[in-house]
Amino acid sequence: MSEERFRVAIVGTFDVENYGDLLFPLLAQESLGKRLGELELLIFSYNSKPRGAWPFEVRSLEDLPEALTDVDALLIGGGHLFRFDKQVGVEYGPPSSNIHHPTGYWLVPALLGALSGKPVIWNGIGVSVDTPEWGRTMATTALRASSYVSVRDKPSARELLRLAPEAEIHVIPDTAFGLSELLSREPTEEFLRWRTSIGLQREYVVIQPAPALKPYASVIREALASLSARGVQVVELVIGPAVGDEVGILHLDPPPVTASLWSQPLLLAEVVKGASAVIAQSLHLSITALCVDVPLFRVQSDEGSKYSILESQPGVWMFDGTAGVLAESLGSVLSGRPLGKSMKPELDKLNVHW
């Protein structure tokens, strides 16, 4: 291990056009850098991405075996990585048949890291609870060979303990709950320029144009129309083209200001910070709203889903297809924005994790 600089590899879906996936390397760089000093984070996913066209350089997983000879540790994730289905994202897959999909970006790297004698660290991942028979032996081997395993919810922990009952599994908040540590207290010049460039001059509400919200489009249109009548602007914010976000998918009227900022995660987070409310489906857009104390409006998720960690939080309002409910709730929140929940408990747990 170098005395001057730590070199850490991190693997995951960091080449996907999705805001949440792009947060994890930024959070790891900041959080580990504070504790280790000078840190070089090597980011690996299926597809390589050059810095500039992407928020950071991403290296192809085809290059990981060679890189493992000269790193101090291997991080797996975060995000929903422990899975065996192929429906990860729209047309998402490896660059060649040499990499198995979908184990090539999480399970195979974990096994390679262990074989290389490197500490393998599972970084607050999400776990599918339906591990197939063919994947169990490999997954169990990887878990037993790992130095530290952490997941972001209890259902994930239960699935891993089913595979490796003797393993020590740590349940932590999603690492995105540490996002506030990456954000400036005062508006940045980049945010102010962006706001001016799109003509955003008044109080505004953010809406995610997500496929999951299409069944509720009529009540969303009703609510946002009532806000527009009060002089509140609406920003339709694309955060995940890879998961189907698309400008205009909700047919909002009057037409909102539109923006696609998934590739600028810290600017996107600052846009959320400046909003008076957020209507979202995405887990990480929702977590961002909570981190910056912006009221969050969501549709009830299925029991046991990854979104369950959000729905009992202060500052979160649930709505359904009932006419008027969302409009009334938004109106009351904007009339006297309540204080949300302090993130201190989550930050304390993440401090221990890092």
Side-chain angles (χ1 to χ4, degrees), residues 215-216 218-220 298-300 317-326:
Y216 309 92
S218 61
V219 298
I220 292 172
R298 293 187 51 82
V299 175
Q300 187 79 40
W317 280 259
M318 310 306 298
F319 69 94
D320 56 19
T322 305
V325 171
L326 178 59

Side-chain angles (χ1 to χ4, degrees), residues 156-180:
S156 294
R158 285 195 293 269
E159 178 69 7
L160 296 193
L161 287 171
R162 188 172 71 86
L163 296 170
E166 74 287 358
E168 183 176 3
I169 310 296
H170 302 264
V171 179
I172 67 167
D174 189 292
T175 57
F177 277 102
L179 178 62
S180 59

Side-chain angles (χ1 to χ4, degrees), residues 171-318:
V171 179
I172 67 167
D174 189 292
T175 57
F177 277 102
L179 178 62
S180 59
E181 297 187 4
L182 297 181
L183 300 179
S184 169
R185 291 188 177 184
E186 300 299 324
T188 64
E189 289 295 325
E190 184 181 18
F191 169 71
L192 294 175
R193 285 195 300 271
W194 172 83
R195 182 168 179 150
T196 299
S197 72
I198 64 169
L200 198 57
Q201 300 171 344
R202 304 188 300 275
E203 180 180 22
Y204 65 91
V205 168
V206 165
I207 169 75
Q208 178 192 1
L213 294 181
K214 287 179 68 176
Y216 309 92
S218 61
V219 298
I220 292 172
R221 284 195 295 269
E222 173 195 30
L224 297 184
S226 68
L227 293 183
S228 296
R230 295 172 48 179
V232 178
Q233 291 185 275
V234 176
V235 177
E236 188 177 37
L237 188 61
V238 171
I239 72 151
V243 292
D245 280 14
E246 183 181 349
V247 166
I249 199 172
L250 302 176
H251 304 290
L252 302 178
D253 186 34
V257 174
T258 61
S260 182
L261 296 177
W262 59 268
S263 63
Q264 299 168 269
L266 296 186
L267 175 58
L268 190 152
E270 194 171 2
V271 171
V272 172
K273 184 178 179 180
S276 294
V278 170
I279 303 172
Q281 184 270 335
S282 156
L283 176 66
H284 292 103
L285 181 56
S286 298
I287 289 174
T288 299
L290 292 176
C291 287
V292 295
D293 195 20
V294 171
L296 170 65
F297 292 81
R298 293 187 51 82
V299 175
Q300 187 79 40
S301 63
D302 295 334
E303 184 177 355
S305 80
K306 65 181 182 180
Y307 303 106
S308 300
I309 61 174
L310 302 168
E311 294 171 358
S312 62
Q313 299 266 16
V316 180
W317 280 259
M318 310 306 298

Side-chain angles (χ1 to χ4, degrees), residues 98-177:
N98 293 329
I99 302 177
H100 181 263
H101 182 58
T103 64
Y105 63 76
W106 65 279
L107 180 53
V108 173
L111 293 168
L112 287 173
L115 285 171
S116 300
K118 306 298 181 179
V120 176
I121 300 162
W122 300 72
N123 186 33
I125 63 166
V127 176
S128 291
V129 295
D130 52 358
T131 303
E133 188 67 36
W134 65 264
R136 291 180 183 177
T137 299
M138 289 187 296
T140 300
T141 300
L143 289 168
R144 288 173 175 167
S146 297
S147 301
Y148 172 77
V149 179
S150 64
V151 295
R152 66 187 183 189
D153 52 50
K154 291 180 180 179
S156 294
R158 285 195 293 269
E159 178 69 7
L160 296 193
L161 287 171
R162 188 172 71 86
L163 296 170
E166 74 287 358
E168 183 176 3
I169 310 296
H170 302 264
V171 179
I172 67 167
D174 189 292
T175 57
F177 277 102

